[in-house]
Amino acid sequence: MKEPKLFDTTLRDGTQGENVSLTVEDKLKIAKKLDEYGIDYIEGGWPGSNPKDEEFFKKVQNMSFKNSEIVAFSSTKRYGIKAEDDPNILKLVSSGAKIVTIFAKSWDFHVSQALGISLDDNLKLIEDTITFLKRKGIEVFFDAEHFFDGFNHNQQYALKTLEVAQNSGASIVVLCDTNGGQTPSKIREAIEVVKERIKIPLGIHAHNDSGLAVANSLTALQEGVEQIQGTVGGLGERCGNADLCIIIPNLKFKYGFRLPKINVEKTTSLYNYVFEVANLTPDNRIPYVGRSAFTHKGGVHVSAILKNPLTYEHISPEWVGNTRRILVSELSGKSNLKSKLEELGFDITQFSEEQFKKLTLKIKEYEHDGYQFEGADASLKLLVLREFFDYAPNFQVENFNILHYNFGKGTGTEAIVKLKINDETVHAVAEGDGPVNALDMALRKALEDFFPSLKNMKLIDYKVRVLDSASGTAAKVRVLIETSDTDKTWTTVGVSTNIIQASWKALLDSVEYGLFVDNLFPVKEN
């Protein structure tokens, strides 16, 4: 197998995914990050389809790229006009891109139903467009849209579209599983036939509607395809595209390719960066780069992992820039707990076997009541400190009260808290957007004069989970609060049948951790 070229279409095909919207500046930032990662080709968008992509290509011309070529995208010219008169084609020429991707129908069903033209007319569109762009000195990649469906329906016509593209001057033909419905065996059968007729390099562009985009792409590679297209995190229309964050580590660690330009150890950071810029929630369970990809919870697993990570990990997480995580829960054994305590900064030699046993039982009791410490390290650390280190905060809560009132068509919420700080009783009253926000504001108001660093802390996420929906409005709820200061974040948890009480517990833990615990007992950095 020849080492493949890697083609990223996050900025074009990826933006067609639901809830994916990138500004021009977002796209420029991601393009730069993809170049630093080592991608060969970056498809920046379709300059003829919208002003945003047109602006992207104007601005990207002023940037320098070390590893990547910027590629523009378009359909063939429109039926009934010349290529040199088609605004879309002319915008490709003026985009400044040295390489363009032209897509055309290779499925006769689409030609007749979607375009409403004859099969020969479709071939003429391909020939005229590529010929015109080649005369302009532009390299052309040809995307054979719906190729595999077309191959299964009318093999000779699908192959004819590839031959016309080849004979017109395309430097590569990319076989597209546009509907994402193919299987590896179908991919293999089609490519074997294509290789008999097409002599220029082949590429693969697979969608994930059957959950097989990565498998289909790797199968195509085994059949001699020289370019693999995909997106970061598999972003894309419907179920998305082939995920380069899975494909690239597989190429490196399963197929043995050197990939000298690719910084594989930055794969996780690339994934997180793109999702952060796109304002998307990362998928914890995605292979290689997900937060759970190297996370261990079962006691038997953790015991073995601590002896030799190869027992339950197929590669070292550091190879892709990820980290190993050990969870504690009702399923945990002593090995989990020891590893987690070390991660939280504790010297486990300070704990006796009896204390380990007591803490394990305590955690299981809490989780039986609905607590979950897997994503709430700050609350877990507070639990340990309270149990074994005589920890107490520098303030005590005497009581709090919530007032909710209606006025006209509006509503308002007011919180009153009473604290004891250094033997001084402090009352604070604050209004907020709902009870939790009002409590947060009142607590801050009471504490900030005594603890100025509280001004740097802000609540950045708030989640509520109903634990027993069968109980209706009397159900127990679990609240997770994520808090941040200038350089770190931490998560706390609270549980109660009263959502206000559950929120208050998580909120207090959050403030305590940020003010006292993190300074006195800092968590080790992962």
Side-chain angles (χ1 to χ4, degrees):
M1 291 183 291
K2 188 174 182 179
E3 189 160 291
K5 296 291 186 179
L6 295 164
F7 184 110
D8 180 275
T9 181
T10 302
L11 304 182
R12 199 276 301 173
D13 210 343
T15 61
Q16 294 178 198
E18 187 175 8
N19 299 322
V20 181
S21 179
L22 299 173
T23 66
V24 173
E25 292 304 316
D26 291 338
K27 295 181 70 166
L28 293 169
K29 289 177 184 177
I30 291 173
K32 197 63 181 174
K33 187 67 70 171
L34 290 168
D35 176 60
E36 292 170 1
Y37 182 67
I39 291 294
D40 295 298
Y41 303 107
I42 301 171
E43 193 167 61
W46 185 343
S49 70
N50 63 83
K52 184 192 297 183
D53 283 0
E54 193 171 352
E55 184 182 353
F56 168 84
F57 281 98
K58 287 179 181 178
K59 289 188 173 182
V60 82
Q61 291 183 54
N62 298 320
M63 298 171 61
S64 60
F65 292 86
K66 180 181 179 181
N67 298 300
S68 307
E69 291 281 355
I70 302 298
V71 181
F73 176 87
S74 179
S75 63
T76 60
K77 75 178 184 74
R78 293 204 308 269
Y79 176 70
I81 63 174
K82 296 179 180 180
E84 55 264 35
D85 296 327
D86 189 309
N88 278 343
I89 303 303
L90 293 177
K91 284 184 177 180
L92 282 182
V93 176
S94 64
S95 71
K98 298 177 182 178
I99 305 172
V100 301
T101 297
I102 291 296
F103 79 91
K105 308 295 185 184
S106 58
W107 185 4
D108 60 347
F109 170 75
H110 259 261
V111 175
S112 60
Q113 297 298 313
L115 295 182
I117 61 177
S118 72
L119 300 185
D120 285 342
D121 284 338
N122 182 56
L123 297 177
K124 189 64 174 171
L125 296 182
I126 298 170
E127 179 182 12
D128 290 351
T129 303
I130 296 176
T131 300
F132 171 75
L133 291 170
K134 291 296 293 181
R135 287 203 307 266
K136 293 293 183 179
I138 297 173
E139 184 178 1
V140 179
F141 294 167
F142 176 68
D143 273 8
E145 189 184 30
H146 295 285
F147 173 77
F148 295 98
D149 291 299
F151 182 88
N152 294 333
H153 187 257
N154 185 338
Q155 182 178 127
Q156 290 307 311
Y157 185 75
L159 292 170
K160 186 64 177 175
T161 63
L162 306 186
E163 289 180 329
V164 170
Q166 174 182 252
N167 296 337
S168 301
S171 59
I172 187 171
V173 292
V174 181
L175 310 178
C176 302
D177 181 19
T178 311
N179 284 354
Q182 302 302 312
T183 62
S185 60
K186 291 291 186 182
I187 296 289
R188 180 177 292 109
E189 291 170 8
I191 293 177
E192 287 176 353
V193 175
V194 170
K195 288 188 296 185
E196 296 175 359
R197 301 268 290 268
I198 302 300
K199 303 309 175 186
I200 60 176
L202 304 177
I204 183 71
H205 179 106
H207 281 256
N208 201 40
D209 298 71
S210 297
L212 294 170
V214 169
N216 286 339
S217 298
L218 294 175
T219 297
L221 171 72
Q222 292 171 336
E223 290 300 312
V225 161
E226 296 181 30
Q227 183 192 99
I228 298 179
Q229 298 193 0
T231 60
V232 174
L235 296 177
E237 196 163 13
R238 303 185 313 276
C239 301
N241 288 48
D243 188 348
L244 290 178
C245 293
I246 300 174
I247 288 174
I248 290 171
N250 278 327
L251 294 176
K252 179 78 172 182
F253 304 120
K254 308 303 180 181
Y255 288 82
F257 289 113
R258 290 180 57 248
L259 303 181
K261 290 201 310 181
I262 297 292
N263 293 295
V264 182
E265 72 282 359
K266 294 183 179 180
T267 306
T268 300
S269 64
L270 172 69
Y271 172 76
N272 289 326
Y273 181 85
V274 169
F275 272 60
E276 176 68 24
V277 171
N279 196 28
L280 299 171
T281 302
D283 182 353
N284 286 346
R285 296 174 62 190
I286 193 170
Y288 289 109
V289 297
R291 193 164 182 263
S292 299
F294 300 94
T295 296
H296 308 280
K297 180 175 177 179
V300 173
H301 289 219
V302 173
S303 177
I305 279 286
L306 294 178
K307 294 171 184 174
N308 190 326
L310 291 176
T311 52
Y312 284 99
E313 291 177 351
H314 65 113
I315 69 163
S316 174
E318 291 80 13
W319 294 358
V320 290
N322 210 335
T323 55
R324 179 178 302 113
R325 296 169 59 238
I326 306 297
L327 305 181
V328 292
S329 73
E330 75 279 1
L331 300 178
S332 301
K334 188 168 63 178
S335 298
N336 296 59
L337 185 56
K338 287 183 176 181
S339 178
K340 192 65 182 181
L341 290 176
E342 286 187 315
E343 182 184 324
L344 293 176
F346 293 105
D347 180 0
I348 62 172
T349 62
Q350 297 179 32
F351 295 84
S352 67
E353 289 300 311
E354 187 61 32
Q355 286 177 314
F356 281 126
K357 183 177 180 181
K358 180 181 178 181
L359 186 56
T360 301
L361 290 174
K362 177 68 72 174
I363 290 169
K364 290 182 178 182
E365 288 172 5
Y366 268 87
E367 296 218 349
H368 180 71
D369 287 337
Y371 279 81
Q372 186 180 73
F373 295 107
E374 294 175 7
D377 282 358
S379 285
L380 176 61
K381 190 165 190 175
L382 284 167
L383 171 63
V384 176
L385 292 171
R386 289 164 182 156
E387 285 290 322
F388 302 118
F389 290 86
D390 296 325
Y391 161 77
N394 290 358
F395 68 90
Q396 291 77 45
V397 177
E398 296 201 345
N399 59 61
F400 71 88
N401 195 14
I402 298 289
L403 299 176
H404 186 79
Y405 48 88
N406 298 315
F407 52 91
K409 295 183 179 180
T411 62
T413 305
E414 184 178 87
I416 305 168
V417 299
K418 181 180 179 182
L419 307 179
K420 181 156 284 189
I421 308 172
N422 300 330
D423 295 325
E424 179 182 343
T425 299
V426 179
H427 281 88
V429 181
E431 291 184 329
D433 296 324
V436 177
N437 181 242
L439 277 172
D440 185 25
M441 299 297 289
L443 184 60
R444 289 171 178 272
K445 192 173 181 179
L447 292 172
E448 278 184 351
D449 286 344
F450 297 88
F451 309 104
S453 63
L454 186 61
K455 294 177 182 178
N456 298 323
M457 294 162 48
K458 61 179 181 178
L459 189 154
I460 61 173
D461 200 6
Y462 173 81
K463 296 186 180 73
V464 179
R465 170 76 184 275
V466 177
L467 301 179
D468 179 18
S469 58
S471 298
T473 54
K476 188 177 287 187
V477 297
R478 178 170 59 236
V479 171
L480 286 170
I481 287 179
E482 188 174 3
T483 309
S484 175
D485 62 13
T486 54
D487 59 2
K488 59 186 174 299
T489 62
W490 59 93
T491 306
T492 51
V493 61
V495 174
S496 175
T497 53
N498 183 324
I499 190 172
I500 305 296
Q501 185 66 31
S503 301
W504 179 246
K505 290 177 179 179
L507 187 61
L508 277 179
D509 271 9
S510 172
V511 170
E512 284 189 36
Y513 184 84
L515 290 180
F516 313 121
V517 177
D518 192 47
N519 294 323
L520 298 173
F521 307 91
V523 174
K524 290 180 179 178
E525 293 291 332
N526 287 331

